[in-house]
Amino acid sequence: GAGVSQSPSNKVTEKGKDVELRCDPISGHTALYWYRQSLGQGLEFLIYFQGNSAPDKSGLPSDRFSAERTGGSVSTLTIQRTQQEDSAVYLCASSFSGWGADTQYFGPGTRLTVL
Amino acid sequence: GQQLNQSPQSMFIQEGEDVSMNCTSSSIFNTWLWYKQDPGEGPVLLIALYKAGELTSNGRLTAQFGITRKDSFLNISASIPSDVGIYFCAGRTYSGNTPLVFGKGTRLSVIA
């Protein structure tokens, strides 16, 4: 079945470079979320898209982080001028509707390593 | 921001033993969720709780929404090797559009 997919699965980059992480949500899901999972930590909320509404960017840690969702489907998380502290697993999730829909389906994540 | 205290951080148990882990919050939550994450995968929802005092089972898993609405526990009975993974609690403080807050996880290892 078609679950949430993310690419690449692993990304190694040099400090100062920009990276783009991609998320393909489950078809028909209107809500899409990005989380960051650092080693030994829980899931840190980054950004949330719901339909055509303005995204909730309250979790983005700095202005180096941005995300867009094109056509209400695929989303790209961009990190500019990467820093070593950006190293983490970036998880994407989708659901049928907004926060009130508790069944968020997660992708396998992108492991980002900044050297 | 919101913090969830999840304990224990890790557990090593013998196959067949029962397991208990819990989550506490300084704020009142109106939803508690428990997820499991296998290596290299995203978290998968195990149980969702919506009412104080609610006790819900999913196979060998049982979770409860604490009466005070500030805590929840997850029990696993008769553990098996495939129970290995990281278990996360998550909660929401208000109904409507607020983000889930996640605990730091309990890493479970099962010794056959």
Side-chain angles (χ1 to χ4, degrees), chain A residues 32 45 47-58 67-69:
Chain A
L32 186 148
F45 164 72
I47 188 169
Y48 154 56
F49 296 89
Q50 167 59 1
N52 295 321
S53 302
D56 177 351
K57 304 179 181 180
S58 60
E68 63 177 21
R69 189 179 184 191

Side-chain angles (χ1 to χ4, degrees), chain A residues 15-97:
Chain A
K15 178 181 174 181
K17 300 284 189 182
D18 297 351
V19 296
E20 286 188 351
L21 313 179
R22 176 187 169 103
C23 172
D24 281 272
I26 292 173
S27 178
H29 280 191
T30 58
L32 186 148
Y33 318 78
W34 283 98
Y35 294 88
R36 178 169 69 176
Q37 184 176 22
S38 301
L39 189 63
Q41 301 295 313
L43 299 176
E44 175 190 4
F45 164 72
L46 297 178
I47 188 169
Y48 154 56
F49 296 89
Q50 167 59 1
N52 295 321
S53 302
D56 177 351
K57 304 179 181 180
S58 60
L60 294 178
S62 78
D63 58 8
R64 296 186 295 105
F65 288 72
S66 63
E68 63 177 21
R69 189 179 184 191
T70 54
S73 180
V74 172
S75 177
T76 302
L77 177 69
T78 301
I79 308 173
Q80 295 178 311
R81 305 181 302 282
T82 52
Q83 303 294 313
Q84 288 182 332
E85 60 263 28
D86 299 335
S87 296
V89 175
Y90 289 82
L91 288 161
C92 174
S94 69
S95 68
F96 276 113
S97 59

Side-chain angles (χ1 to χ4, degrees), chain B residues 64-83:
Chain B
Q64 185 161 29
F65 192 139
I67 296 279
T68 65
R69 300 174 67 188
K70 292 184 178 181
D71 62 343
S72 177
F73 72 75
L74 175 70
N75 286 342
I76 305 172
S77 62
S79 58
I80 59 178
S82 62
D83 291 335

Side-chain angles (χ1 to χ4, degrees), chain B residues 77-98:
Chain B
S77 62
S79 58
I80 59 178
S82 62
D83 291 335
V84 165
I86 303 176
Y87 292 80
F88 290 101
C89 62
R92 183 176 294 117
T93 54
Y94 304 104
S95 59
N97 295 336
T98 56

Side-chain angles (χ1 to χ4, degrees), chain B residues 1-53:
Chain B
Q2 285 289 337
Q3 294 287 334
L4 285 184
N5 296 312
Q6 186 171 351
S7 64
Q9 285 187 320
S10 62
M11 304 179 72
F12 289 84
I13 62 168
Q14 293 282 345
E15 183 178 358
E17 288 184 352
D18 297 344
V19 174
S20 184
M21 59 192 78
N22 69 83
C23 233
T24 60
S25 167
S26 57
S27 302
I28 291 175
F29 277 31
N30 72 346
T31 301
W32 283 98
L33 309 171
W34 286 92
Y35 284 84
K36 183 193 178 194
Q37 185 177 29
D38 290 325
E41 302 290 330
V44 173
L45 182 66
L46 299 174
I47 294 179
L49 303 162
Y50 303 103
K51 290 172 54 178

